[in-house]
Amino acid sequence: MSKNHEPVWGACLKVIKDNISLQAFKTWFEPIVAVRLDANVLTIQVPSHFFYEWLEENYIVLLKKVIQKELGTEGRLEYSIIMENNTTKSTPYTVKLPALNSKSLRNAPVSMPLNVSEKQIRNPFIIPGLKKVNVDSNLNPSYSFDNFVEGDCNRLARASGYAVANKPGGTAFNPLLIYGGVGLGKTHLAHAIGISIKDQFPNKTVLYVGSEKFAHQFIDAIKNQTTNDFIHFYQMIDVLIIDDVQFFSGKEKTQDVFFHVFNHLHQNGKQIILTSDKPPVEMQGMEQRLLSRFKWGLSADLGAPDLETRMAILEKKMYGNGIDLPKDVTEYLAYSINTNVREMEGALNTLLAQASLNKKAITLELAKQMVDKFVKNTAREVSIEYIQKVVCDYFDLALEILKSKTRKREVVQARQISMYFSKKMTKSSLANIGAHCGGKDHATVLHACRTVTNLSETDKQFRAYLEDLEKKLTIQ
Ligand code: ADP
Ligand code: MG
């Protein structure tokens, strides 16, 4: 009649999985390992004290139910919390079900491998022997939440960043991992969180550091035999922001030290914010134990901004700089640079500089030349959105009508022309072009391209339209 811990916990997990969200299940239950079953006491191993508290606060009712279902009313659960001092020894805390008292547990002595004593710590950011309050946060005040334009592409990341900023260390988003491609606002958002925390909790020590800098400091510390100081310094931070953690890839020693810092901070309820250009699953050369920790909290991605967001970002930057550009110029920038906010901003700045140096008015013409000369990758290829806009303007149609299902002749024609130019001038697939034109399939796009080609051969007026449009679309 003796049961085995694994099948028992397996059965519990099955019920738990059906009762909570997949994300929560992955975050809070997948890392748990069942270690033993003695009589009616099931012991599960959890990665940290924080983790244990979170389970207690949020899932105790559910846990109680499943344990009792599997082990009867006398069933109990014990947690074994992994200690981060490199030994496999773990000290299980006994938690009795149903009567729970997590208060006393919280006061249970937890031996920290590296206790911080503030006086002797050397700050790798220069000043030896500093006090905690002296830590410079390295935050850029212009990267605030106010300056961060919200859009569909960044809603989740922004909202979770906001939640973290209001309750550092006190949400499930720990660590908060923000990931996304180059120039999409990861660094900006990471600073925004830090700035907001500094504003609301002036006593918290917030530190922003690039992962490369962290790695260099660590190497210096090894050279100078001050690794303990290095570790202690990082362990006394309340909110640690590490930008571009993908640079830790392949750097085993750095990962190792970061692992210890991470654990210490996490166990003490300190907030960790990370950014990366990839989601954890795609980070090569990163140790499994670190990756699994990255997944503990929330990974939120930043996507490429859509047209409205790009326009809003440009407008915000112009407003911030007291500049006013002709509308067709901003539209052109927003339409033609569609993957990377940094590049779009760069284009705006270059345009302004060009105009003032050469004392030229900022015109669409100048913008086109500039984008062609200075913006890489995007320069030669117009976007489907831009094509649609130019075609709509040309025929005086609203963009929504072009994208609608209307079968009106002039709309159908404009739609077909946009498809034709999208095929001709972009690298998009037929399916993608169709998707941008009101959800048409690839066959429809192909048919449109043929129709346009045929018409241009037989209809002079139509050919004139096409030539006109082609001129407008071509970047000189
Ligand atoms: P990443 O770190 O992802 O490479 P950055 O955070 O450095 O990108 O962003 C590049 C530039 O784009 C910065 O100047 C930033 O202010 C700007 N930017 C990106 N996203 C936004 C946004 N949503 N609102 C305002 N500015 C943004
Ligand atoms: Mg960055």
Side-chain angles (χ1 to χ4, degrees):
M1 103 131 244
S2 77
K3 289 184 178 174
N4 194 300
H5 57 275
E6 273 166 3
V8 167
W9 181 238
C12 293
L13 283 182
K14 248 183 114 192
V15 180
I16 292 169
K17 197 170 188 173
D18 287 341
N19 281 284
I20 64 175
S21 76
L22 187 63
Q23 172 75 29
F25 182 80
K26 285 192 161 158
T27 310
W28 300 109
F29 291 92
E30 276 186 0
I32 297 176
V33 182
V35 284
R36 67 183 157 271
L37 179 65
D38 295 326
N40 54 2
V41 182
L42 175 71
T43 306
I44 58 172
Q45 192 178 57
V46 296
S48 69
H49 197 258
F50 169 81
F51 203 101
Y52 146 75
E53 285 185 2
W54 186 266
L55 289 175
E56 284 289 288
E57 275 174 30
N58 296 279
Y59 298 107
I60 193 58
V61 178
L62 181 59
L63 277 169
K64 202 162 94 178
K65 272 199 195 125
V66 296
I67 290 290
Q68 292 183 344
K69 181 165 170 284
E70 291 306 312
L71 299 174
T73 46
E74 288 301 296
R76 288 195 295 139
L77 188 63
E78 257 185 29
Y79 296 87
S80 162
I81 299 170
I82 301 175
M83 290 295 161
E84 310 291 354
N85 50 5
N86 285 335
T87 67
T88 44
K89 181 183 150 286
S90 53
T91 327
Y93 295 111
T94 307
V95 181
K96 285 196 184 114
L97 289 167
L100 281 165
N101 182 355
S102 35
K103 266 256 158 47
S104 59
L105 285 165
R106 229 165 258 165
N107 298 332
V110 178
S111 75
M112 286 298 159
L114 295 154
N115 275 325
V116 177
S117 86
E118 289 180 15
K119 276 191 212 106
Q120 309 135 10
I121 295 167
R122 213 172 304 225
N123 179 350
F125 285 88
I126 327 165
I127 326 147
L130 91 166
K131 281 238 179 83
K132 193 170 166 167
V133 283
N134 295 335
V135 175
D136 181 354
S137 295
N138 294 328
L139 293 166
N140 176 347
S142 61
Y143 283 167
S144 62
F145 270 118
D146 284 347
N147 291 336
F148 191 79
V149 174
E150 183 173 352
D152 285 342
C153 54
N154 60 34
R155 196 153 281 127
L156 172 69
R158 190 182 190 282
S160 38
Y162 204 73
V164 163
N166 290 329
K167 222 177 158 200
T171 66
F173 311 150
N174 199 15
L176 175 64
L177 174 69
I178 303 162
Y179 68 90
V182 192
L184 296 183
K186 300 181 294 294
T187 298
H188 187 142
L189 189 55
H191 278 270
I193 299 168
I195 292 167
S196 169
I197 293 176
K198 263 295 194 226
D199 279 353
Q200 300 181 69
F201 312 92
N203 292 330
K204 285 206 188 287
T205 309
V206 178
L207 179 68
Y208 167 91
V209 62
S211 60
E212 278 182 298
K213 184 156 198 171
F214 181 92
H216 284 145
Q217 288 175 346
F218 177 56
I219 292 167
D220 285 346
I222 296 175
K223 261 194 237 143
N224 303 329
Q225 300 185 315
T226 53
T227 39
N228 277 347
D229 286 348
F230 175 84
I231 294 171
H232 283 157
F233 171 79
Y234 276 97
Q235 288 185 337
M236 71 180 189
I237 305 296
D238 296 314
V239 178
L240 179 61
I241 306 169
I242 303 210
D243 205 359
D244 292 318
V245 285
Q246 75 274 4
F247 282 120
F248 287 164
S249 290
K251 301 194 174 85
E252 277 170 37
K253 285 250 170 61
T254 310
Q255 287 183 33
D256 199 45
V257 77
F258 177 58
F259 179 77
H260 285 284
V261 169
F262 183 105
N263 287 332
H264 182 95
L265 296 179
H266 200 270
Q267 279 180 356
N268 287 285
K270 303 302 169 67
Q271 180 69 45
I272 300 153
I273 297 150
L274 309 168
T275 77
S276 162
D277 66 357
K278 302 180 189 62
V281 281
E282 287 169 23
M283 284 186 216
Q284 307 277 323
M286 201 72 91
E287 278 185 51
Q288 208 47 50
R289 56 182 189 162
L290 256 188
L291 287 183
S292 77
R293 272 155 177 77
F294 291 173
K295 293 181 206 155
W296 278 358
L298 178 81
S299 306
D301 73 318
L302 285 174
D306 56 19
L307 182 70
E308 282 90 64
T309 314
R310 297 201 297 277
M311 291 287 291
I313 291 173
L314 280 176
E315 269 153 26
K316 184 138 230 160
K317 301 276 170 194
M318 292 194 309
Y319 183 79
N321 291 313
I323 324 157
D324 205 6
L325 285 187
K327 182 117 177 127
D328 58 348
V329 173
T330 31
E331 276 183 347
Y332 177 75
L333 291 181
Y335 274 107
S336 53
I337 307 175
N338 58 1
T339 48
N340 183 323
V341 181
R342 186 180 298 133
E343 245 169 40
M344 191 175 72
E345 261 183 48
L348 177 68
N349 292 338
T350 316
L351 184 58
L352 295 172
Q354 281 286 96
S356 78
L357 283 175
N358 303 328
K359 307 221 172 352
K360 280 190 196 161
I362 298 175
T363 59
L364 186 57
E365 209 51 38
L366 186 65
K368 285 183 177 179
Q369 288 171 12
M370 203 273 323
V371 167
D372 191 28
K373 266 199 214 138
F374 296 96
V375 183
K376 21 172 220 234
N377 306 329
T378 42
R380 313 251 159 217
E381 190 179 302
V382 290
S383 67
I384 299 177
E385 286 165 321
Y386 187 64
I387 292 170
Q388 290 176 338
K389 178 191 144 36
V390 171
V391 172
C392 283
D393 284 356
Y394 188 76
F395 292 114
D396 203 14
L397 285 176
L399 192 60
E400 301 81 68
I401 297 183
L402 185 91
K403 292 186 172 191
S404 73
K405 303 251 179 267
T406 296
R407 303 287 314 153
K408 269 201 196 137
R409 215 181 81 86
E410 66 272 22
V411 181
V412 172
Q413 195 164 75
R415 198 182 288 138
Q416 290 182 327
I417 292 175
S418 333
M419 291 178 181
Y420 165 83
F421 279 117
S422 301
K423 177 74 190 100
K424 190 169 170 189
M425 305 179 98
T426 76
K427 293 192 197 77
S428 294
S429 65
L430 294 172
N432 189 31
I433 294 170
H436 275 78
C437 293
K440 304 284 189 288
D441 63 12
H442 79 281
T444 311
V445 180
L446 203 56
H447 173 72
C449 294
R450 290 209 186 104
T451 309
V452 171
T453 313
N454 288 343
L455 265 178
S456 75
E457 281 160 8
T458 52
D459 182 335
K460 232 170 153 193
Q461 178 61 55
F462 188 81
R463 185 158 66 240
Y465 288 158
L466 282 192
E467 282 164 7
D468 248 10
L469 277 166
E470 181 143 7
K471 243 184 246 149
K472 286 188 189 296
L473 288 167
T474 309
I475 297 161
Q476 283 100 18

